[in-house]
Amino acid sequence: MDTDVLIVGAGPTGLMLACQLARRGVRATIVDRHAGPARETRALGVQARTMEIYAQLGVVGRALELGKKGTGANIWARGKWMARLPLSDIGGGLTPYPYLFILGQDDNERILGERLRALGSDVAWNTELTGLAQHAEHVIATLKLPDGATREVRCAWVAGCDGAKSAVRELNGIGFPGAPYEHVFFVADVEATGGMKPDELNVYLWKDGFHLLFPMRGENHWRVVGILPEALKGKEVGFKDVEPSVRGEAGADLVFQGCSWFSTYRIHHRAATRFREGRCFLLGDAAHIHSPVGAQGMNTGLQDSYNLAWKLTLVVQGKSDARLLDSYDAERVPVAQRLLRTTDRAFRIIVSDSEGARLLRTQVLARIAAFAFRLRPVRRFAFGTISQTGIHYRESALSETKPGLLDRSPRAGDRFPWLKLKFSPGGPVEDSFQRLDDLNFHLLAFGQHVSAMHKHFQVHSIPEDPHNAKELARASIPAKSYYLLRPDGYVGLAGTKFESGAVERYLSTRMGLAS
Ligand SMILES: Cc1cc2nc3c(=O)[nH]c(=O)nc-3n(C[C@H](O)[C@H](O)[C@H](O)COP(=O)(O)OP(=O)(O)OC[C@H]3O[C@@H](n4cnc5c(N)ncnc54)[C@H](O)[C@@H]3O)c2cc1C
């Protein structure tokens, strides 16, 4: 083999997969047809689940240095300030990153690229995938090299992280059903002053649509997103052309000093009919695209990579049966389909031309949002959904919950909650996300002692202690229970009384791990 995994595309999805494979010691090659990293900001919202993964990857400090915490969202309707939704601690207690984080896609790609180089790998730019031939034991990929010559590369697996027009998807004949929305959107990075609340998200709702102003790094730097006015559709336009409509709806006192990037785009909502064909996988925009409502796109691609990386590692290293890889498609297709449904519903309300939707936008939405945000369950539900910490794989073949747990306890398929625990009697209180790395399986045993010697997982027998008891009660974890965590932090197996045989059976039958 020339390489074990060929990663096609060095956007955020491909870079994340390359980093995850490199740190696990898997031989991977990453190629991109462009000459270098994209310069456009595009995605801006980094969700808490992504920040958790960045922490495991050792880049969260760099992200915090370059980005901004979104402390609140201000809703304006017909030019009047209506409500502020506090966001700085909306997910308090659920994650070390309980806010929406604002960091441009270009910075995310820079951080991931730096990490990849530190791990001893790099992107082969100006290198395009043009052909694929699948065989029983390998794939032959045809690459067009920077000098125009072609080269055939023999690899065990191909990861299509090559965006919405994915060659990997098309060469495999995988459908991408869906449709474009009729509206055309614009996006602009500007320098501006005005009545908007500084350093916070400002949402301007008006009868024909919306304008969003996101604070960006640097003084008076804002990202403006909106619907292109009907009269400008189909024309060559620049920011100067949309400025009157933004000023008209978002405030006449807005003064724009400059615009560093302007683009218009049509949004589609589509999902690939399957995310795997033989030895080829689809991840990120190659697998699913949808409206930018909720800032989910880039984050979902990063989670696709995180889901696939540890599974590919076990298979490439000969520790697991290749059947483990079936769970990538089985776990990630439902996530993408749910995302398409929810973003589509939210988006239609925001852009609908119907009289009811106009009234909802300008008269009702801000009031409902402000009221609902005062209710803790609503805040928590909204945070779990948007931050992607609430995503679960309960239906997956890799998830097994034994009888005896409480209905409200974390179950197999859930992201194991963030806890502060004493891991040894009389020891310090530790952050579970820092203590448990993402390169191994971990067994957490509560209220029982488990011998520390196991081939496939690290054991943590958590001592009985008043601090731990309080923390377990907070997370609805029974005092006597055990949780086997997969490397990506999801619960694989959960039960009350630990039995070594049950865990071994789970690992061999469900994970395909050789005993
Ligand atoms: C205006 C805008 C705003 C957005 N806002 C948000 C947001 O706030 N939050 C969010 O989460 N998402 C947002 N998104 C979506 C986000 O930008 C995408 O989801 C994200 O870029 C997907 O990353 P990716 O790596 O999967 O694909 P891409 O970023 O498209 O990367 C694909 C890469 O593959 C390469 N490639 C393609 N074909 C080949 C080939 N044949 N051979 C080799 N290389 C190839 C391309 O050159 C490219 O570098 C936004 C998108 C837009 C357009």
Side-chain angles (χ1 to χ4, degrees):
M1 293 288 173
D2 295 312
T3 187
D4 286 320
V5 184
L6 174 68
I7 302 171
V8 185
T13 306
L15 289 169
M16 172 60 90
L17 184 64
C19 284
Q20 295 298 341
L21 293 177
R23 61 198 283 262
R24 291 170 165 83
V26 174
R27 212 162 47 110
T29 300
I30 174 166
V31 301
D32 196 292
R33 69 187 162 102
H34 284 150
R39 297 194 171 193
E40 302 91 22
T41 333
R42 298 205 282 166
L44 262 193
V46 176
Q47 303 296 349
R49 184 65 191 138
T50 297
M51 295 295 275
E52 292 172 2
I53 295 170
Y54 278 1
Q56 292 283 5
L57 188 57
V59 298
V60 79
R62 182 91 172 106
L64 288 166
E65 198 181 291
L66 293 179
K68 251 184 186 185
K69 288 180 194 167
T71 52
N74 293 276
I75 306 183
W76 305 69
R78 291 167 302 153
K80 260 177 53 194
W81 182 86
M82 304 288 286
R84 176 178 183 274
L85 312 181
L87 298 179
S88 53
D89 195 35
I90 172 178
L94 298 176
T95 170
Y97 314 98
Y99 37 78
L100 171 70
F101 194 64
I102 299 176
L103 178 70
Q105 185 168 329
D106 51 345
D107 281 332
N108 281 276
E109 292 182 25
R110 180 173 314 135
I111 290 171
L112 291 167
E114 285 169 2
R115 188 76 189 107
L116 185 62
R117 285 187 289 282
L119 287 161
S121 185
D122 207 351
V123 179
W125 296 107
N126 276 319
T127 305
E128 182 176 359
L129 175 88
T130 55
L132 277 177
Q134 293 222 36
H135 300 273
E137 300 295 326
H138 66 276
V139 184
I140 300 288
T142 308
L143 299 179
K144 189 165 154 225
L145 303 178
D147 61 3
T150 54
R151 186 181 152 212
E152 291 198 334
V153 173
R154 191 185 171 94
C155 46
W157 304 98
V158 174
C161 307
D162 46 349
K165 296 192 175 133
S166 170
V168 175
R169 192 186 63 234
E170 285 172 11
L171 290 166
N172 275 295
I174 300 176
F176 202 36
Y181 291 104
E182 65 180 278
H183 298 84
V184 177
F185 292 79
F186 71 84
V187 46
D189 285 349
V190 299
E191 219 177 298
T193 51
M196 59 280 198
K197 302 287 176 197
D199 290 325
E200 299 206 330
L201 173 61
N202 286 264
V203 180
Y204 294 89
L205 300 170
W206 51 296
K207 66 178 179 33
D208 288 334
F210 68 94
H211 286 120
L212 304 180
L213 267 74
F214 289 88
M216 307 263 289
R217 183 154 43 98
E219 207 178 332
N220 300 328
H221 282 173
W222 295 86
R223 152 75 60 91
V224 188
V225 179
I227 298 178
L228 197 67
E230 203 53 37
L232 298 177
K233 262 191 183 171
K235 297 187 179 154
E236 270 290 302
V237 287
F239 186 64
K240 281 272 163 259
D241 301 299
V242 297
E243 204 182 304
S245 93
V246 181
R247 281 164 54 84
E249 302 303 333
D253 60 342
L254 266 178
V255 180
F256 293 101
Q257 281 98 15
C259 172
S260 58
W261 177 54
F262 178 81
S263 183
T264 58
Y265 61 103
R266 258 192 117 154
I267 298 172
H268 295 239
H269 53 118
R270 296 177 184 279
T273 47
R274 55 193 186 281
F275 290 5
R276 179 181 178 192
E277 178 65 42
R279 295 184 160 266
C280 296
F281 297 90
L282 298 177
L283 303 88
D285 276 20
H288 42 74
I289 50 172
H290 42 81
S291 89
V293 169
Q296 301 290 304
M298 175 178 75
N299 294 276
T300 306
L302 296 174
Q303 315 298 328
D304 290 342
S305 292
Y306 201 55
N307 185 288
L308 183 62
W310 66 272
K311 298 172 182 173
L312 262 181
T313 303
L314 288 175
V315 172
V316 166
Q317 293 175 345
K319 294 177 182 157
S320 268
D321 196 292
R323 274 176 305 147
L324 176 62
L325 296 171
D326 295 344
S327 66
Y328 168 71
D329 185 271
E331 291 183 347
R332 296 304 294 176
V333 168
V335 169
Q337 281 171 347
R338 207 173 310 127
L339 182 62
L340 251 74
R341 279 195 303 275
T342 46
T343 51
D344 185 53
R345 227 176 284 140
F347 195 59
R348 286 188 192 281
I349 293 176
I350 293 175
V351 298
S352 168
D353 295 334
S354 78
E355 206 44 51
R358 288 177 176 191
L359 268 179
L360 183 71
R361 267 197 305 271
T362 55
Q363 314 270 1
V364 188
L365 208 62
R367 287 193 186 94
I368 293 181
F371 172 74
F373 251 63
R374 275 186 230 127
L375 310 172
R376 191 167 181 268
V378 173
R379 281 201 309 273
R380 293 207 109 45
F381 177 75
F383 182 78
T385 306
I386 294 172
S387 70
Q388 306 196 342
T389 55
I391 286 173
H392 65 78
Y393 308 128
R394 286 186 180 183
E395 312 307 325
S396 166
L398 301 187
S399 303
E400 183 178 344
T401 304
K402 298 274 184 202
L405 290 176
L406 309 173
D407 281 349
R408 58 180 191 280
S409 301
R411 322 188 74 68
D414 292 353
R415 158 187 162 280
F416 190 71
W418 176 52
L419 301 174
K420 302 250 178 89
L421 291 172
K422 291 186 182 176
F423 279 79
S424 57
V429 173
E430 293 180 67
D431 176 326
S432 62
F433 282 7
Q434 287 179 16
R435 172 76 190 225
L436 309 174
D437 66 56
D438 64 350
L439 301 175
N440 293 288
F441 286 85
H442 293 275
L443 183 101
L444 290 165
F446 302 105
Q448 52 200 319
H449 183 77
V450 173
S451 118
M453 292 299 293
H454 282 274
K455 183 173 160 197
H456 292 308
F457 53 90
Q458 296 188 354
V459 177
H460 309 268
S461 292
I462 306 299
E464 288 177 62
D465 166 283
H467 170 87
N468 286 349
K470 220 165 125 196
E471 192 66 350
L472 296 188
R474 182 177 74 84
S476 303
I477 294 175
K480 182 165 182 177
S481 58
Y482 70 91
Y483 285 86
L484 179 68
L485 312 193
R486 319 178 335 178
D488 59 1
Y490 281 83
V491 178
L493 175 67
T496 48
K497 185 171 173 342
F498 175 79
E499 275 176 66
S500 173
V503 178
E504 295 300 337
R505 254 192 321 281
Y506 166 83
L507 289 172
S508 66
T509 55
R510 299 209 182 221
M511 289 283 167
L513 279 167
S515 44

